[in-house]
Amino acid sequence: MPHDDISTLPTGVALTARDDHFREHPDEVYDRLRLHAPFHVDEAYGRRVLTRHDDVRAVLRHKQFGVDARKSGPGSYMRRVAGTGVSEGMGNTAYEPPLVLIDDPAHRRIRLLMSKAFTPRAVENMRPRIHAIAEALLVPLAAEPGFDFIERYAGPLPTLVIAEMMGVSTAHCADLKRWSDAILMGYDPERDSATQRRLRESYVALTAVLRETVEARRRSPREDLISAMVRAQEAEDRLSDLEIISLCTQLLVAGNVTTTDLMGNGLHALLAHPAQLQALLNEPALIEQAVEEILRYDCPLTETARFALEDTELHGCPVRKGDTLTASLAAANHDPAQFTRPHDFDITREDTAHLAFGSGVHVCLGAPLARLEGQIGLQRFLEHFPHVRPASTPPRRRQLPFFRGFECLPVMVGDRERSGAL
Ligand code: HEM
């Protein structure tokens, strides 16, 4: 550990994926913060950054901390990263915050209704479809010596799965991916006005497609999530159309890129650790453990935020009403107080209590689906392409805060005698 002085610890943009050092070596930065400033004051963004597993878990479960940015002050970090600017200048398309940005009692009510539609059975029913969708994407790739794993496989797979599960026509797949990527930029505290404009346009276009689908399912229901939500609405008159649309938007936006990143970060970690890749190829039953280790080792959603609803304290540290805390899930997942050899990638690891899906009332609703997609997606890929290896073009990580993953991850897949650059 190098000599450190709290005044030299990074703040603001230097603690985001826009910073080259942080993006490529986040563990080095997290280790310094955890050791020297576990309640790191980041004045540039007006927040404190928590990096210990215990503190991160505690703030996510603490009743005095909220997520609804509308209650936080103007100019607060919470507002900067909550994408609430989406409501401005949207004409007559109203905006409803996503589930992850609503506090109780509304959160409890909507989450309960949502859980009725998004059941473990509904997810399990998707198993054969996830296999079939993976297969349809993989078969044409066999004719190629190499390709971009993100563009051709890890990107489209979750979009096709969630679109089908919701009951949105997969003919819209390319648009859905483009719109959800643009809406994701609402979480970037550094977004400029052009990005904000694209975000708004995408939100309006996506809302129109979802509104049409809700109306179509009301006229003739099917076995899909939107029909189930419309049924819940009619039975209990408690879920508005706007709430359904907002939920579907979140399923698309938060569920898509994170699952792409689970697969991309996973393949990247396996390629960087050939012995682990070989162990998985030798024993495919390790896939469930491997996915948990990928989630811990290089977690797709690196942090989330909370602000204090009242004056309170966290593990003895006073917090004033309105203060924002960033809970670093990625740092918590590499805390040596929680994990032995935290920076080692070990798919047989037994201490797997990671926080990649969060904790407390907002714990990821889509975790069972993400796990299933990650397991089937990676396993099917390795069955098709056991000789996968990095291409000569290096991979490129995304520069967006929170959502850690690859923009492109070029791989070669033919057997080793056939080579070539991508
Ligand atoms: C590997 C993939 C995924 C990761 C790492 C992930 C991570 C997370 C995390 C950390 C949270 C909690 C955020 C907070 O407490 O502020 C969350 C919430 C949520 N996730 Fe995921 N997620 C993934 C996939 C999905 C999928 C596939 C879906 C659905 C299709 C989904 C839907 C949701 C929803 C609706 C919430 C909000 C829950 C609430 O506020 O009650 N996620 N996710």
Side-chain angles (χ1 to χ4, degrees):
M1 185 65 53
H3 165 74
D4 230 320
D5 157 7
I6 294 183
S7 66
T8 67
L9 293 173
T11 59
V13 77
L15 273 176
T16 73
R18 284 179 186 269
D19 182 87
D20 294 343
H21 179 73
F22 182 78
R23 188 175 62 253
E24 298 308 323
H25 308 282
D27 291 339
E28 227 176 276
V29 179
Y30 291 142
D31 284 349
R32 288 173 63 204
L33 295 185
R34 208 185 297 104
L35 192 67
H36 300 287
F39 271 54
H40 177 47
V41 179
D42 173 1
E43 276 172 4
Y45 277 167
R47 60 172 181 166
R48 274 188 262 177
V49 182
L50 310 186
T51 41
R52 287 185 191 149
H53 190 282
D54 265 7
D55 295 335
V56 167
R57 191 170 173 280
V59 74
L60 296 179
R61 302 180 77 85
H62 202 302
K63 300 254 182 304
Q64 302 288 0
F65 287 91
V67 288
D68 193 335
R70 293 170 301 184
K71 297 183 203 158
S72 71
S76 70
Y77 177 73
M78 204 65 201
R79 285 206 183 187
R80 270 174 92 164
V81 295
T84 45
V86 81
S87 56
E88 295 147 23
M90 286 195 2
N92 48 18
T93 310
Y95 168 74
E96 182 73 29
L99 191 58
V100 76
L101 294 174
I102 304 178
D103 290 328
D104 282 345
H107 173 266
R108 192 181 307 124
R109 171 179 73 85
I110 297 174
R111 170 122 187 172
L112 190 70
L113 285 169
M114 188 61 193
S115 318
K116 285 185 186 164
F118 210 84
T119 58
R121 200 168 124 225
V123 171
E124 193 49 38
N125 284 347
M126 284 305 288
R127 184 182 285 276
R129 286 302 304 147
I130 299 173
H131 269 278
I133 293 169
E135 209 53 31
L137 291 168
L138 288 168
V139 167
L141 295 177
E144 301 180 33
F147 45 82
D148 175 5
F149 178 76
I150 303 295
E151 183 196 356
R152 304 293 296 279
Y153 186 62
L157 181 72
T159 313
L160 288 163
V161 170
I162 193 66
E164 189 168 311
M165 202 172 169
M166 289 195 309
V168 175
S169 164
T170 48
H172 291 299
C173 190
D175 285 337
L176 293 178
K177 177 83 187 125
R178 197 163 41 81
W179 294 332
S180 73
D181 285 352
I183 294 171
L184 205 62
M185 300 308 287
Y187 292 94
D188 182 358
E190 301 291 331
R191 64 188 179 279
D192 58 18
S193 55
T195 307
Q196 185 69 26
R197 194 171 52 249
R198 265 198 307 281
L199 187 166
R200 265 200 307 271
E201 288 161 4
S202 300
Y203 190 85
V204 170
L206 176 60
T207 299
V209 166
L210 291 173
R211 197 179 290 283
E212 256 172 49
T213 313
V214 168
E215 281 159 13
R217 292 301 176 276
R218 186 168 292 126
R219 286 193 301 274
S220 62
R222 294 190 193 159
E223 282 305 306
D224 58 39
L225 216 54
I226 291 186
S227 301
M229 288 194 240
V230 169
R231 256 199 311 278
Q233 183 181 40
E234 278 157 9
E236 307 173 42
D237 195 28
R238 286 198 306 173
L239 208 52
S240 70
D241 275 11
L242 203 55
E243 284 168 343
I244 295 183
I245 289 166
S246 161
L247 277 166
C248 290
T249 304
Q250 184 175 3
L251 294 185
L252 257 171
V253 175
N256 248 333
V257 74
T258 47
T259 311
T260 297
D261 294 342
L262 161 58
M263 285 188 279
N265 297 356
L267 184 65
H268 183 257
L270 288 165
L271 292 174
H273 300 86
Q276 298 291 314
L277 173 59
Q278 197 53 53
L280 184 56
L281 288 168
N282 294 345
E283 201 181 333
L286 282 175
I287 190 66
E288 287 183 21
Q289 259 173 288
V291 164
E292 294 314 303
E293 178 63 346
I294 292 163
L295 286 162
R296 184 198 71 82
Y297 179 77
D298 196 6
C299 74
L301 189 62
T302 55
E303 63 188 54
T304 181
R306 298 288 187 269
F307 71 97
L309 298 165
E310 300 296 337
D311 287 351
T312 181
E313 57 115 44
L314 189 75
H315 289 167
C317 181
V319 182
R320 298 240 319 274
K321 181 175 174 177
D323 284 356
T324 300
L325 302 186
T326 284
S328 173
L329 308 172
N333 286 346
H334 281 248
D335 185 346
Q338 179 70 28
F339 301 100
T340 48
R341 294 173 289 101
H343 303 325
D344 286 4
F345 178 64
D346 175 4
I347 63 169
T348 60
R349 174 184 291 279
E350 281 172 7
D351 47 349
T352 56
H354 64 72
L355 292 174
F357 289 120
S359 188
V361 293
H362 290 282
V363 69
C364 180
L365 188 72
L369 178 64
R371 286 188 158 111
L372 193 63
E373 286 184 72
Q375 291 161 11
I376 296 175
L378 282 172
Q379 186 137 60
R380 298 301 298 149
F381 182 82
L382 293 177
E383 276 169 28
H384 277 258
F385 303 117
H387 300 296
V388 60
R389 59 199 182 280
S392 55
T393 309
R396 194 176 60 245
R397 280 200 185 267
R398 194 187 298 117
Q399 297 204 6
L400 181 65
F402 308 150
F403 295 91
R404 180 170 167 83
F406 289 91
E407 264 169 10
C408 86
L409 178 56
V411 291
M412 302 300 293
V413 292
D415 58 40
R416 278 165 199 278
E417 280 67 52
R418 289 160 53 203
S419 63
L422 188 66

